[in-house]
Amino acid sequence: MIRRDLHCHTRFCDGSNTPEEMVRAALDKGLSTLGISSHSYTFFDTSYCMSKEGVLCYLDEMAALKERYQDKIELLCGVEQDCYSDYPTDRFDYVIGSVHYIRCNGTYIPIDETPALLIDTANRYFCGDLYALCEQYYDTVSTVVERTGCDIIGHLDLVTKFNEGGRLFDEQHPRYIAAWQNAVDRLLTYSRPFEINTGAISRGYRTSPYPSREIAAYIRRRGGTLVLSSDAHRAEDLGSHFDTYESWLS
């Protein structure tokens, strides 16, 4: 049984609960370690992340909670650092490195906002070629460790958030496979664990986690390691689906 969850969000960014509510939920679920990983400040899009002032408040509140619950649970103060965020991470216990945007002609475009935006981006910047968009996405993903210095690689194939059942593109297309394999091969050289992220299942976007079973198996075959995380934005989703996907770790 996995009793450690290092990826979740609170009201300091786009989550629904306070940090203390998440801690109490973790205790109720029998977790021994909880890492809260608020979204890093991103200068080009402040709609979902911590503000600069919020970062300081977050650090203070997490320090207080660590002291309050020190005899009950291991509590870690993390950050989910976007690949394009330049906010310092030295005061956090750990860093999850994630790619939420691709950069096109100086514009940062989220790849996990809506399927319509993804298609519009392909039409506007890639002549309608979604595989070219995926290639740029995975090229960016391949740099996430060097850009963020992360300890964990977050939701590797987030670009498939709206692609359940091949709705937008074929994940067996040779160009798509080559794109993610090239990214994984480069990232494996850093010896960082990749997360199996169940958040999109809890929020109803997917019926399987990030990354896909095929990608997870590829990572394992090449000696990479995997960790389970819930990416919970609500207290009730902490540790969600861990029992189902624990077998993917080995």
Side-chain angles (χ1 to χ4, degrees):
M1 176 183 175
I2 302 297
R3 300 184 62 205
R4 180 181 177 95
D5 194 347
L6 298 180
H7 191 163
C8 70
H9 300 283
T10 71
R11 290 179 187 170
F12 276 102
C13 52
D14 58 350
S16 300
N17 296 94
T18 66
E20 185 159 20
E21 288 170 342
M22 298 298 274
V23 173
R24 290 175 178 170
L27 289 169
D28 289 343
K29 290 172 178 283
L31 295 181
S32 58
T33 302
L34 175 68
I36 296 177
S37 53
S38 294
H39 285 291
S40 61
Y41 171 74
T42 49
F43 64 92
F44 53 86
D45 182 2
T46 59
S47 62
Y48 75 106
C49 65
M50 292 187 286
S51 65
K52 288 184 177 181
E53 298 78 11
V55 172
L56 301 178
C57 293
Y58 169 63
L59 289 165
D60 287 344
E61 181 158 344
M62 291 298 292
L65 289 173
K66 282 184 179 185
E67 184 173 353
R68 190 177 308 157
Y69 289 93
Q70 61 182 325
D71 297 328
K72 297 180 180 179
I73 191 170
E74 180 186 21
L75 182 60
L76 301 174
C77 178
V79 64
E80 184 175 11
Q81 184 83 350
D82 184 78
C83 190
Y84 288 113
S85 174
D86 58 3
Y87 198 86
T89 61
D90 53 292
R91 294 185 62 187
F92 300 103
D93 294 325
Y94 67 98
V95 177
I96 298 173
S98 297
V99 176
H100 300 94
Y101 305 85
I102 56 174
R103 188 177 181 186
C104 300
N105 295 343
T107 300
Y108 299 90
I109 303 169
I111 52 85
D112 61 337
E113 189 169 291
T114 66
L117 179 59
L118 201 65
I119 293 169
D120 180 68
T121 301
N123 291 335
R124 182 173 299 186
Y125 298 101
F126 300 94
C127 299
D129 186 351
L130 275 164
Y131 297 107
L133 184 155
C134 290
E135 286 164 349
Q136 180 165 325
Y137 167 75
Y138 281 113
D139 186 60
T140 305
V141 168
S142 74
T143 69
V144 73
V145 176
E146 60 195 77
R147 285 177 180 267
T148 68
C150 63
D151 303 290
I152 300 169
I153 298 165
H155 43 57
L156 184 91
D157 57 352
L158 184 64
V159 72
T160 65
K161 178 177 178 177
F162 307 111
N163 199 48
E164 185 83 7
R167 174 184 176 188
L168 301 177
F169 56 87
D170 180 8
E171 293 180 38
Q172 296 305 310
H173 192 287
R175 286 174 63 193
Y176 179 77
I177 293 173
W180 68 253
Q181 285 184 346
N182 289 337
V184 169
D185 289 346
R186 183 172 176 181
L187 290 169
L188 284 168
T189 66
Y190 294 96
S191 300
R192 302 295 200 279
F194 297 75
E195 68 170 3
I196 295 174
N197 181 314
T198 62
I201 305 174
S202 302
R203 293 190 287 280
Y205 292 109
R206 293 169 56 105
T207 57
S208 60
Y210 308 111
S212 68
R213 180 186 289 272
E214 182 178 4
I215 296 175
Y218 184 91
I219 291 169
R220 291 200 313 272
R221 285 198 304 272
R222 279 158 176 75
T225 56
L226 299 160
V227 295
L228 270 169
S229 61
S230 68
D231 198 353
H233 286 63
R234 304 178 303 175
E236 57 263 38
D237 292 331
L238 282 172
S240 179
H241 305 284
F242 278 15
D243 290 347
T244 302
Y245 294 103
E246 185 175 357
S247 63
W248 285 27
L249 298 180
S250 58

